[in-house]
Amino acid sequence: MNDYLSTLTLEAPLDRDGLRRLAIHACLDLHQVRWLRSFVAMDGKRMLCWYQARDAESVRLVLRQQGSAGAGVWPVAVTDVAGSESLDSSVGCMVVELPLSSPDADEVASLTAGISAALRGSGAVLRRTFLSSRDARLMGVVEAGNPGTVVERLDAAGILTASLWECAAFDPRPPKLFESHAASKVRELDRDAESFGAAAPVAASEWFDAIVIGAGLSGMCALERFTRMGLSVRVFESGSDVGGVWYWNRYPGARVDSEVHTYGFSFSDELIRDWNWQELFAAQPEISGYLRHVADRFDLRRHIQFDTRVASAAYDDHHACWMIETDTGERARARYLIMAAGTLSAPQLPDYPGMRDFTGESCHTADWPESGIDLRGKRVGVVGTGASGVQVIQTIAAEVDHLTVFQRTPTYCIPQRNRPLTEADLRRIREDWGQILKTCRESYGGFIHTFDPRSGLRVSAEEREAKFEELWRKSGFAFWFGNFADLMMNSEVNSHACEFLRNKIRARVHDPDTARKLLPDHPFGTKRVPLECGYYETYNRSNVTLVDLRETPIERVTPSGILTSRQAHPLDVIVYATGFDAGTGSITRIDVRGADGVSLEDKWRDGPTTFLGLLVSGFPNLFIVNGPHNAAALCNAGRCIDQNVDWIARCIERMCGQGIRRVVPAPAAEAEWTQHVYDVAEASVLAAMKNSWFFGANTPGKPQRVNIYAAGASEYRKQCEAVANSGFTGLEFS
Ligand code: NA7
C-alpha cells in the first residue's frame, strides 16, 4: 500500500457527519482504499485527505464516487515526527505547506528539524509530515498552538511557508454510516434490551449497515450492490448454500421459464462474457451452479450466514435500527432491513386429513431432498398442476410404474421449446447484450418478448389465428408477452387466445374425456402460465391417470395412498406441487414488528398495503425486494430484482448522503399506491378470475387481495423512476 494526498475543494462547510457521509461513498472495500485522516479547513472551503491505496487510480475512483472527480491525487512519503503521539482529533491543528528547493532527504530532514525547533516553547507541535517529491512540497501537520505565533516563529527561523490553514483533523475510519455502530452505542443499546425482549447482548461484530434476509437471486443482487456502496452487510440464509428457490426446488424437471441469459445478473459485463449457458431454459442444476459461481467470483460468501433462519425482526425507533433474532437465538442489528426472501418461496402444503399417516415418501416440490427420491418403478401421485407440477409430471412419467395426477384447476400450458445454446448463440447474446437488456427493461414482463402494438380486434380472424400460431411455435412466453397489446386488458381478445390454446390441447390429448378435464375455462394469463415440454402428450401414456379433483375431491390421505370421493389411489410416493403462500408468505412467516410494535402480519390482515411494493408505512427502513404489489411476480425475476435493488440502493444512498436515519412511506402515499394496484387489477382480465395465488386465493384464510402489479414491469419501472427522480416523493425522511 502507498500513501496519497488529495486536496478537495468543498462546496459547503463540512462537519463530522458530512465527512462520514463522504466516507460512505468511498467504497473502501471495493477499491481497497483506506482513508486514514482528513484535515478540514476552518473556513470550510477545503480539505486535505490522506489515503493508503494500491495506486492513485483507486483513489481517483473513490473521489469520483464522492463527486470530487477533479481533485488532484499525489503520492507522498509520510513521516511521523519523532516523539509525537497520534493526533488527537479533538485538538485543533494547522496544515503548513512549505515549498522545497530540492526534495532530497537531507533538505526534508533539516526542514523538519527546523520547524520543530522553531515551534519549541510556543505550545504548537509538529506531528507529521507529508512529502510530495513530484511537486517539491512538504505538508506539515502542526497540533495545538496559535496560527499567528506559528507563522511568526517560522518567519523568525527563516522558514518560508506557502500557506497555513487552521483546521480540524478527522478520522473517517471505519467508514460506518451511523454513530450507533460505535461500541459505546452498542453497550447503551444493550442496556435498553427490554425493548427487544432480548436476553443475550449484541456484540459490536453483530452490527451491520444492512441485514438482508435471503441469499437467492435478490439477496445476492442486493449484497453485491450494497457492498459495492461500502455498506457492511450480513445476509441470513436458511439454506446451506446460495440460490434461494434454486437451492430448494430440486425436483425433477425444475427449469427456469425465462430465456436464461436474460435471467442472470447484469451487474458485471465480465460475467456475461465468461459464463457459458448450456440451454436456452436452463435446468435447476445449471442455475444453481451459476449462482454458486457468482457467489465465489464476487466473494459474496463471507457476508452470508447459511443454515440460519431469521425468526423475528423488530424496529427500534429510538436508535433507528432493526434488530433481528434467528431461530437459534442469535441477534444482529442494522440500520436497514432488506427482505429478499422471495415471492414464491414459502411452500404451502395442503391440509388433507391423514397426511402424516402416509407410510410412503412424500414431499413438497420446494423442499425436495438433496439426495433426491428414487421414483423408478414406483406408484407416484402428484398433487397440483401449476408450473412445478407440470415440470415434474412431464419429467417423471416415463420412469415411474404409474403416475396419478391430482388436478384441481387446469391451466393453459404453452410450449417451452427449449434447446441447447450454441457458440453462435452465445456470441450473438454477447454482441446484443445492451439491446437485450433494453428490450427487457421496456417490455411488459421484463422478458425479451414485446407485445404486438396492434389490438387483437383490429385484425381479421384469419390474421389473428395466424399470429397465435406463429407465437405458439416460438419459445418461452412469446405467446403471452409477445401477443396483441390488449391481450391482458380486453376479454374478447383474451377469449380468442383461450380457444386457440384449448384447440391445441384437444388436438394433442387422445382420450376426449382426459382432454376435456385438461381444458381451462378461465381467461389466459390470469394464472401464471406454465411452460411445457410434452406435457399434454404425457396423458396419452398408459401409465398416467388424471384425477379431476373438481369432480372427485380428495377426502383424505391414507397410510397407503390418496382416497378421493370415488376411489382409493394406492401410492408409494406423493409429490405435493401445491405452490406457495405467495407474495406475503416469506415475509409474514417472520415476526416483523414496526416502529410502534405492531406486527406486519396484523397490519396486512386485510391484505397487504405497500408503497411501490417496496416499503410499508409504520415499518421504517424496511425494504422489500420482491413481495406484494410490485412487478416481480409477473416478471422475469432477474430483471425486476435488478430494478428493485437499484431503486432501494438509490434511496439508501440518498439517506447516507444526507445523514438521514429513517425513511418510511407517508400513509397517504401508501394508501394511494395500494389503491392503484387494485385499480389496475380490476381494469385487467385478472378481475375475471381471482382464484389464483395472484389474489392469495390458494392460501386458506388469506384475504383475497391482489398481490401483483398488473400494469407490468415497464410501467412499474416508470412509476418507481418518477418517485426517485422527484426526490422520493411519498417518502418521509427524518
Ligand atoms: P402454483 O402455480 O401455485 O400451483 C400450485 C398447484 O397446486 C395448482 O395447480 C393448485 O391448484 C394446486 N393446489 C394447491 N393447493 C391444492 C390442494 N389443497 N389440493 C389440490 N391441489 C392444490 O405453484 P407452482 O409451484 O406450480 O408454481 C409457482 C411458480 O413457480 C410459478 O408460477 C413459476 O413462476 C415458478 P389451484 O390452481 O389452486 O386450484
Side-chain angles (χ1 to χ4, degrees), residues 236-241 247-248 305-309 327-328:
F236 291 97
E237 165 57 53
S238 56
S240 303
D241 207 336
Y247 174 83
W248 295 106
Q305 184 169 328
F306 293 106
D307 300 305
T308 309
R309 190 173 285 279
D327 54 2
T328 56

Side-chain angles (χ1 to χ4, degrees), residues 245-246 249 251 255 257 344 348-352 364-366 383-391 406-411 477 522 527-530 549-550 554 576-580 582 633 635 689 691-694 697-700:
V245 294
W246 297 109
N249 284 263
Y251 61 83
R255 204 172 271 286
D257 50 17
L344 291 160
Q348 188 157 272
L349 284 165
D351 58 353
Y352 293 123
H364 191 282
T365 41
V383 184
T385 53
S388 308
V390 165
Q391 290 183 334
F406 298 88
Q407 171 193 267
R408 194 163 67 179
T409 313
T411 41
F477 284 136
H522 55 267
K527 278 166 119 43
R528 185 75 139 100
V529 178
L549 297 181
R550 293 174 303 181
I554 292 176
Y576 293 105
T578 44
F580 302 89
C635 178
M689 217 298 272
N691 182 22
S692 77
W693 62 254
F694 290 176
N698 64 326
T699 304

Side-chain angles (χ1 to χ4, degrees), residues 30-43:
L30 185 71
H31 303 302
Q32 296 185 8
V33 172
R34 294 176 65 213
W35 184 358
L36 293 177
R37 194 61 60 113
S38 284
F39 305 96
V40 183
M42 287 306 180
D43 64 3

Side-chain angles (χ1 to χ4, degrees), residues 429-503:
I429 287 166
R430 284 165 189 145
E431 280 166 11
D432 297 348
W433 179 235
Q435 183 57 44
I436 290 170
L437 273 186
K438 185 168 181 291
T439 305
C440 292
R441 220 176 4 249
E442 290 168 4
S443 69
Y444 176 86
F447 295 92
I448 49 170
H449 311 287
T450 51
F451 281 131
D452 181 329
R454 296 174 299 169
S455 160
L457 298 179
R458 289 275 169 90
V459 295
S460 67
E462 294 73 34
E463 267 182 280
R464 196 166 47 230
E465 201 68 3
K467 176 77 185 176
F468 287 156
E469 184 67 32
E470 176 199 327
L471 292 171
W472 191 79
R473 299 208 163 274
K474 288 189 169 173
S475 55
F477 284 136
F479 192 89
W480 195 359
F481 298 123
N483 218 307
F484 294 108
D486 47 0
L487 176 82
M488 296 297 288
M489 291 289 162
N490 185 299
S491 56
E492 195 181 336
V493 178
N494 193 285
S495 68
H496 288 304
C498 293
E499 194 48 24
F500 174 89
L501 291 174
R502 281 193 288 262
N503 282 335

Side-chain angles (χ1 to χ4, degrees), residues 80-85 127:
D80 281 325
V81 177
S84 72
E85 286 153 23
R127 289 294 195 196

